[in-house]
């Protein structure tokens, strides 16, 4: 006898310590229980046969209601109750996440000669994500990128990009991004507000972020995937070098489009290889 239920997010992950309240048809509370770390409720309180309403609440999620029928055996199986993030917005389960550089890409695109694009990426970086449990706006992102790891597929160009004309890696070995707040821009889209330190200059930079979902990996961990973009102006970071070619066309465009493909592993550290 008793009540059983499973509390899950839309991605299918457990909502830990959700509160389940059961009321009879007159509105009187018959049972109150808390989900365990697996998002499961198994309560042995004896309930009289009949129809009941089950209300599930959890911090950071919109409440959900379900119906339950208690049989003559005194058992009620609610099944799976899905909770949506408060306001209809989704992010991974709360807590720390660690960016996995081996399965992530930090790239940038610049216009070349006004007619084509040059793509580059940074091959060495690390970062953390903290998903807030109480208020998603308080979630945080911090990342550090080794400037000298720039790779555009052309050795001469990469050497120039590392020089004082551009990244000046000798004096400014890292690019550092720290978020200040997060705001919802849709059910799975976010605006990450923050500051980027690059080339000795700190400027506000917002990321347009899409949350792609979570899933298990082959190593027993849980991963979350994100895609983000931003646009930077080189002159905002004191990188004013340019070469003018025919008809006044600049060799390199003044803006950069940043493209991020990020996988993060749940926890405060990457799993040991």
């Amino acid at each position: 006898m008793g009540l059983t239920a499973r509390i899950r997010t839309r991605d299918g992950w457990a909502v830990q310590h959700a509160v389940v309240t059961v009321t009879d048809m007159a509105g009187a509370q018959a049972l109150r229980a808390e989900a365990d770390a697996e998002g499961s409720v198994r309560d042995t309180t004896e309930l009289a046969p009949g129809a009941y309403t089950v209300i599930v609440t959890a911090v950071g999620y919109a409440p959900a209601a379900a119906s339950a029928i208690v049989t003559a055996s005194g058992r009620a199986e609610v099944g799976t109750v899905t909770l949506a993030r408060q306001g209809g917005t989704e992010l991974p389960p709360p807590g720390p996440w660690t960016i996995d550089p081996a399965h992530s890409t930090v790239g940038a695109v610049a216009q070349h000669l006004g007619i084509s694009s040059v793509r580059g990426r940074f091959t060495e970086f690390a970062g953390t994500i903290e998903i807030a449990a109480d208020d998603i706006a308080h979630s945080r992102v911090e990342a550090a990128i080794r400037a000298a790891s720039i790779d555009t597929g052309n050795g001469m160009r990469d050497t120039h990009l590392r020089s004082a004309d551009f990244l000046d890696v000798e004096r400014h070995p890292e690019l550092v991004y720290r978020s200040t707040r997060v705001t919802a821009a849709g059910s799975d889209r976010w605006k990450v507000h923050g500051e980027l330190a690059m080339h000795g200059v700190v400027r506000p930079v917002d990321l347009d972020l899409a949350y792609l979902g979570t899933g298990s990996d082959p190593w027993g961990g849980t991963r979350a995937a994100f895609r983000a973009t931003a646009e930077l102006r080189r002159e905002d970071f004191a990188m004013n070098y340019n070469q003018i070619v025919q008809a006044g066309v600049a060799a390199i465009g003044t803006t950069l489009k940043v493209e991020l493909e990020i996988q993060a592993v749940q926890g405060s550290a990457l799993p040991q290889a």
Side-chain angles (χ1 to χ4, degrees):
M1 62 182 176
L3 177 136
T4 60
R6 294 178 299 170
I7 318 302
R8 296 290 185 267
T9 68
R10 287 177 175 173
D11 290 330
W13 299 100
V15 179
Q16 299 182 6
H17 311 305
V19 175
V20 177
T21 303
V22 179
T23 62
D24 61 23
M25 298 310 292
Q29 181 174 309
L31 168 66
R32 183 180 174 86
E34 186 173 301
D36 59 21
E38 307 267 323
S40 297
V41 176
R42 300 178 184 86
D43 191 279
T44 58
T45 301
E46 185 174 356
L47 297 172
Y52 291 83
T53 298
V54 179
I55 301 172
V56 183
T57 59
V59 173
Y61 294 86
S67 298
I69 301 295
V70 177
T71 64
S73 65
R75 179 179 302 161
E77 296 181 358
V78 178
T80 300
V81 178
T82 301
L83 295 186
R85 281 284 186 181
Q86 195 73 44
T89 53
E90 293 290 330
L91 272 180
W97 296 75
T98 302
I99 293 173
D100 180 4
H103 296 92
S104 301
T105 302
V106 175
V109 182
Q111 198 166 55
H112 184 241
L113 300 177
I115 58 173
S116 63
S117 297
V118 173
R119 291 183 175 271
R121 65 190 183 101
F122 292 94
T123 60
E124 297 180 32
F125 53 90
T128 58
I129 301 168
E130 181 74 28
I131 305 298
D134 55 346
D135 185 346
I136 293 178
H138 297 156
S139 299
R140 302 190 306 275
V141 178
E142 183 168 334
I145 301 167
R146 183 169 172 264
S149 70
I150 185 69
D151 179 9
T152 66
N154 181 297
M156 184 178 297
R157 180 167 54 215
D158 293 345
T159 297
H160 191 194
L161 290 173
R162 297 182 186 110
S163 74
D165 285 339
F166 291 97
L167 294 170
D168 197 0
V169 301
E170 292 296 327
R171 292 200 302 159
H172 308 293
E174 282 191 334
L175 290 69
V176 177
Y177 184 80
R178 293 186 177 93
S179 69
T180 54
R181 62 191 175 95
V182 177
T183 56
S187 62
D188 58 358
R189 296 187 177 275
W190 300 82
K191 180 78 74 173
V192 180
H193 309 274
E195 294 183 332
L196 175 65
M198 180 170 66
H199 197 233
V201 179
V202 179
R203 289 282 187 269
V205 171
D206 292 344
L207 298 175
D208 293 315
L209 179 101
Y211 168 51
L212 306 180
T214 57
S216 299
D217 65 26
W219 307 280
T222 299
R223 290 175 177 262
F226 307 88
R227 181 180 296 120
T229 59
E231 190 169 283
L232 308 179
R233 291 174 57 85
R234 289 196 293 113
E235 62 185 30
D236 290 343
F237 294 91
M239 288 187 285
N240 299 311
Y241 172 86
N242 217 331
Q243 176 185 2
I244 303 299
V245 294
Q246 297 178 30
V249 175
I252 304 170
T254 59
T255 61
L256 294 172
K257 183 179 180 182
V258 177
E259 299 178 336
L260 309 176
E261 297 281 348
I262 301 298
Q263 274 194 28
V265 181
Q266 191 172 33
S268 57
L270 292 173
Q272 297 297 316

